[in-house]
Amino acid sequence: MAFTALALFAALATVSNAALTRRVTCPDGNTATNAACCVLFPIVSNLQTNLFDNGTCGDGAHAALRMSFHDAIGFSNTNSSLGTGADGSIFIFQDIELGFHANIGIDDAVNQESPFILALNGSISTADFIQLAAAVSLTNCPGTVRPTFMFGRKDATFPAPDLTVPEPFDTVDSILARMGDAGFSPAEVVALLASHSIAGADNIDPNLAGLPFDSTPSTFDTQFFIETQLRGTTFPGTGGNQGEVEAPLKGELRLQSDSELARDSRTACLWQANVNNQAHMAQSFQSAFAKMQVLGQDTSQLIDCSEVIPISKPFTGQAMFPAGLTKSDVEQACASTPFPTLPTAPGPVTSVAAIPQS
Ligand code: HEM
Ligand SMILES: *[C@@H]1O[C@H](CO)[C@@H](O)[C@H](O)[C@H]1NC(C)=O
Ligand SMILES: *[C@@H]1O[C@H](CO)[C@@H](O)[C@H](O)[C@H]1NC(C)=O
Ligand SMILES: *[C@@H]1O[C@H](CO)[C@@H](O)[C@H](O)[C@H]1NC(C)=O
């Protein structure tokens, strides 16, 4: 009885809140709860058509996501010289920041986004544009939880220095220290690395581009966390490249950093917790990503324009060991919880196709 009354009250409260929220109609016909968000709808639409190939989770989307991280991580809670976070500095000071070793390949993303940023002519900040593009890119990748978007970032007045972006050949100590200095716990570092589920390498093997980190680089699914835990047996090319270790599938590239984070006692159980747990992976990423997107910014000055972000593409799929592989190929690293039981994909052993380059 008491529960029913409470539920009814809650339902009525929801209705009256909705009735009180006055929506504005934007010039392009979209409606928004805050008129300040109207400017973003045509930008989102333009991005979907012209930067993300009509809303696909391909090379353009991957590049925009990586760029948002490399911009934001130029930040420290202990040293203000390390940058002002998600501040557009990677674009504004590209002459400096693209020269840093960790930013190899970011020039592609800068070149792809450049015409859009120049055409906007400062009507939104470059910092906002970079994070908006990344948030929209994620909605094209089935399996993500719809990202939030806060609007109103201030652009950088000085570049981030070198060495703010972790390298794949850095130790786990160094990666956790650098990310911790920017405000991320080990759990949030693992959460953010779900991004490598929709990613690949163009610049680790000098002879090969678009080498995916898992067998499904266009889907934000848990395969990345499964496949990084399997015994490495092969390289996509000749191997021997800095930051690369053996992968379990032909055509796949495994970063040394992902391999070590999957096996380190501080992060192994956090890593394994994503396996076949789509909801945990997607939700923990969404939260950590929201934090990353406003790094260094005064959030009290930002407007919540999440309503301009499209609904994420839905995901249906089953986590599996790749064909030919089983639990006996897992290098178990989480000491407290056994590796989940999973089916093996049917059919003969396959290799993973490279990601088409835009
Ligand atoms: C914390 C340690 C991290 C390390 C060491 C690392 C390292 C790398 C490396 C070496 C590549 C390949 C670059 C290339 O050869 O083209 C890569 C790709 C990528 N990374 Fe990370 N990353 C880290 C974290 C993140 C985070 C936090 C995000 C986003 C939230 C992210 C998103 C991506 C994406 C989307 C790609 C694919 C880019 C493309 O295919 O064009 N990474 N990462
Ligand atoms: C996007 O869709 C439009 C209209 O259907 C089409 O003309 C265009 O070729 C498509 N672009 C890509 C990259 O698929
Ligand atoms: C802060 O960072 C700058 C730029 O990397 C560096 O030169 C300086 O030594 C750092 N200061 C401290 C106190 O660590
Ligand atoms: C770009 O912005 C500046 C400053 O707001 C303005 O003076 C100029 O006319 C704009 N240019 C274009 C092409 O819109």
Side-chain angles (χ1 to χ4, degrees):
M1 186 64 174
F3 174 76
T4 312
L6 193 63
L8 181 64
F9 177 75
L12 287 171
T14 306
V15 168
S16 66
N17 275 343
L20 286 173
T21 305
R22 195 163 297 156
R23 293 186 70 83
V24 296
T25 302
C26 303
D28 65 355
N30 281 295
T31 61
T33 51
N34 191 322
C37 303
C38 284
V39 65
L40 300 174
F41 284 110
I43 302 174
V44 169
S45 162
N46 186 24
L47 284 173
Q48 286 290 52
T49 308
N50 297 311
L51 184 61
F52 300 139
D53 301 335
N54 293 337
T56 57
C57 182
D59 189 50
H62 301 170
L65 179 58
R66 180 174 179 235
M67 179 163 156
S68 74
F69 171 54
H70 288 227
D71 190 33
I73 201 64
F75 175 77
S76 161
N77 280 312
T78 58
N79 184 343
S80 58
S81 304
L82 262 56
T84 42
D87 60 1
S89 66
I90 200 142
F91 186 89
I92 298 162
F93 298 103
Q94 55 184 274
D95 291 352
I96 295 166
E97 293 195 25
L98 295 188
F100 303 154
H101 185 268
N103 286 335
I104 290 175
I106 296 288
D107 56 331
D108 283 349
V110 165
N111 292 336
Q112 284 164 20
E113 293 191 10
S114 190
F116 297 84
I117 293 172
L118 298 180
L120 284 166
N121 191 25
S123 59
I124 73 169
S125 69
T126 299
D128 278 333
F129 181 86
I130 290 170
Q131 298 304 329
L132 178 67
V136 174
S137 81
L138 283 162
T139 68
N140 297 326
C141 302
T144 52
V145 167
R146 185 191 194 188
T148 56
F149 183 70
M150 303 300 289
F151 181 39
R153 288 169 190 71
K154 284 197 162 56
D155 274 341
T157 56
F158 65 96
D162 199 2
L163 307 180
T164 68
V165 182
E167 290 270 25
F169 47 81
D170 288 345
T171 61
V172 171
D173 277 0
S174 154
I175 292 171
L176 293 182
R178 174 75 275 276
M179 295 296 284
D181 182 46
F184 296 109
S185 67
E188 288 171 323
V189 173
V190 172
L192 285 173
L193 280 164
S195 57
H196 284 184
S197 160
I198 42 173
D202 299 337
N203 302 283
I204 296 285
D205 186 320
N207 301 312
L208 297 170
L211 299 172
F213 295 152
D214 75 0
S215 56
T216 55
S218 295
T219 312
F220 191 86
D221 62 8
T222 76
Q223 286 306 126
F224 169 72
F225 291 101
I226 299 168
E227 293 168 26
T228 46
Q229 205 68 61
L230 297 169
R231 186 171 300 108
T233 52
T234 184
F235 290 109
T238 52
N241 301 301
Q242 193 183 32
E244 178 189 21
V245 297
E246 282 179 311
L249 298 174
K250 201 66 200 167
E252 187 167 297
L253 186 138
R254 181 182 289 169
L255 294 177
Q256 181 183 316
S257 48
D258 290 338
S259 183
E260 292 183 0
L261 285 160
R263 286 160 182 77
D264 189 279
S265 62
R266 287 162 289 184
T267 44
C269 294
L270 296 164
W271 199 270
Q272 184 183 290
N274 291 293
V275 171
N276 198 20
N277 194 340
Q278 182 70 29
H280 171 69
M281 172 179 163
Q283 192 56 64
S284 60
F285 174 79
Q286 196 247 23
S287 306
F289 184 69
K291 182 169 168 178
M292 188 201 95
Q293 288 213 295
V294 297
L295 228 48
Q297 295 286 333
D298 177 357
T299 51
S300 73
Q301 299 301 305
L302 302 182
I303 298 167
D304 189 344
C305 287
S306 301
E307 61 190 332
V308 309
I309 304 298
I311 307 290
S312 287
K313 284 192 180 162
F315 168 74
T316 49
Q318 164 67 52
M320 287 191 214
F321 291 120
L325 299 174
T326 67
K327 207 169 189 166
S328 66
D329 299 296
V330 170
E331 290 181 330
Q332 178 68 20
C334 172
S336 58
T337 315
F339 201 83
T341 297
L342 300 171
T344 289
V349 174
T350 51
S351 60
V352 184
I355 302 165
Q357 300 297 292
S358 53

